[in-house]
Amino acid sequence: MTILDMGVAFLISSVVLAVLYPVAPMIGLMDHPGERRKVHRHSVPPIGGIAIFSGLAASTLLSLPFTAPHLYGMAGAALLVLVGVLDDRFGLGPRVRLVAQVVAALLLTLGCGVTLTSLGNLLGFGAIDLGLLSVPFTVFAMVGVINAVNMIDGIDGLAGGLILIALGALLFLAPQIGPIQILLLTTIAALIPYLVCNLELFGVTGRKIFLGDAGSLLLGYILVWALVDAAGPAGSIDPVTALWLVAIPLMDTLRVMGRRILQGVSPFSADAGHLHHFLSRVFQSTRKALILMLAVAILLTGIGVFGFLNQIGEAVMFYLALAIFVAYLLVARYVHSLSRALEQQSRQIVGEVT
């Protein structure tokens, strides 16, 4: 049945993309260039998320049981897609998205029972049990990861590629194929048609689409659902391994939000300060930036999986992750200063020439 489920998800996602592509301009569902952080030159329909959810919902109706926990989980996904589509069309703003993320996370924790009860031996002084903080901390962590995926969706294929890597690792570490694993497989199948159009692979051109907030919120939600389930009491990984699977979006988001707070602006304000923006400027190519970031994500995910399979201590893996994050902050600070100096020098040279 798993292959059939994936086939349905792939087919429905493809059909919805084909149907919505000519309809999107008529209803004003377009992502227009013009903002400083935009890297595209032409208006593009952000319909990827709608297509992915459609494929996921169709395959879910076909294969998964209609139990209350699963229905709560899918209700959270539907809520985020709806809010994301409205935001893509009308620009609802970060506060509305944040409220929707909290509600969706509560549906997962209270409705599905997907919670973190312990952080494991994270610091090396024994297991950190969350107790009464279990639900609040889980909601906070879920919203954090969903936001991280949403914020890193800035160049073609990046959010989708990072999700594929993380879901692939979770499937590799899963002891058996259960409902969550079927959900992940169908998500991957529904994601493929979007990536083909978004990256214009296999000769597919002239059908450019974006995920939109609907897609990035949905993918972040599916990922955090699987991560918390896997790192929970009866899961297949420990919590610190989950950090390695989402290292790139988490590190980038924490750095960017921290910088914005220090500058006295909203941490949710949009700018061109993300890692993918900088790499795109350096390489003069979003595709090269994409390849580098996905390669680093595969490396970090591989380290996390290696540490888990070889039973390297949770504290060791956590402090190693922390060291990598600190090193990233130091390099990013130096690179940012160097980038500004080069831009100023370039402007001076142009001024002298003219």
Side-chain angles (χ1 to χ4, degrees):
M1 284 295 291
T2 303
I3 295 178
L4 177 60
D5 300 332
M6 294 178 68
V8 169
F10 178 88
L11 177 62
I12 296 300
S13 179
S14 301
V15 170
V16 171
L17 284 178
V19 171
L20 285 183
Y21 189 84
V23 174
M26 302 177 190
I27 60 176
L29 189 58
M30 300 293 289
D31 191 320
H32 301 286
E35 296 181 22
R36 186 166 59 90
R37 65 190 178 96
K38 301 290 187 179
V39 297
H40 59 290
R41 298 180 180 179
H42 306 286
S43 297
V44 178
I47 56 175
I50 302 174
I52 294 168
F53 179 73
S54 299
L56 188 60
S59 63
T60 296
L61 291 173
L62 177 69
S63 62
L64 293 180
F66 286 92
T67 59
H70 185 73
L71 290 176
Y72 275 114
M74 292 305 295
L79 171 64
L80 290 181
V81 170
L82 175 61
V83 170
V85 170
L86 293 175
D87 188 44
D88 289 329
R89 176 61 182 86
F90 300 106
L92 301 180
R95 292 184 180 179
V96 177
R97 291 200 304 269
L98 183 61
V99 170
Q101 291 165 27
V102 171
V103 173
L106 286 171
L107 287 171
L108 273 182
T109 54
L110 301 179
C112 290
V114 180
T115 57
L116 288 171
T117 58
S118 172
L119 298 181
N121 187 17
L122 201 64
L123 303 178
F125 304 108
I128 303 175
D129 294 322
L130 294 173
L132 295 176
L133 296 177
S134 177
V135 170
F137 183 86
T138 302
V139 170
F140 175 79
M142 286 179 170
V143 171
V145 173
I146 293 171
N147 259 298
V149 174
N150 178 246
M151 293 176 69
I152 207 166
D153 180 32
I155 61 175
D156 292 343
L158 183 55
L162 292 173
I163 292 296
L164 279 180
I165 294 167
L167 296 189
L170 286 171
L171 287 168
F172 174 75
L173 293 172
Q176 59 186 2
I177 299 296
I180 292 296
Q181 286 69 44
I182 294 175
L183 182 71
L184 300 189
L185 287 169
T186 52
T187 300
I188 291 173
L191 182 59
I192 290 174
Y194 156 75
L195 286 174
V196 170
C197 294
N198 177 245
L199 294 171
E200 298 182 312
L201 303 175
F202 309 116
V204 177
T205 58
R207 307 287 290 183
K208 188 80 167 183
I209 58 170
F210 287 160
L211 269 179
D213 281 329
S216 58
L217 292 175
L218 172 65
L219 291 181
Y221 178 83
I222 296 297
L223 174 60
V224 81
W225 184 352
L227 283 174
V228 175
D229 180 79
S236 56
I237 64 174
D238 49 51
V240 72
T241 302
L243 289 178
W244 286 91
L245 302 189
V246 291
I248 291 292
L250 279 184
M251 289 194 301
D252 184 64
T253 298
L254 289 173
R255 181 189 66 83
V256 169
M257 294 184 75
R259 176 177 55 79
R260 291 170 183 168
I261 291 172
L262 291 175
Q263 292 175 344
V265 300
S266 169
F268 298 103
S269 61
D271 60 27
H274 288 276
L275 177 61
H276 53 266
H277 290 128
F278 172 75
L279 292 176
S280 298
R281 292 194 296 269
V282 169
F283 293 126
Q284 294 296 302
S285 167
T286 58
R287 188 61 59 93
K288 291 179 180 178
L290 170 68
I291 292 172
L292 177 59
M293 292 188 69
L294 293 185
V296 174
I298 291 172
L299 174 63
L300 294 177
T301 298
I303 293 173
V305 171
F306 177 84
F308 176 75
L309 294 178
N310 289 274
Q311 298 183 339
I312 297 176
E314 295 173 67
V316 173
M317 294 301 295
F318 174 72
Y319 288 123
L320 177 59
L322 189 61
I324 291 175
F325 179 54
V326 172
Y328 167 67
L329 291 178
L330 293 174
V331 171
R333 182 177 180 181
Y334 169 77
V335 168
H336 181 66
S337 300
L338 178 61
S339 176
R340 285 191 301 176
L342 290 175
E343 288 179 1
Q344 291 175 357
Q345 184 179 14
S346 176
R347 285 195 295 267
Q348 290 175 357
I349 293 174
V350 171
E352 292 173 359
V353 171
T354 56

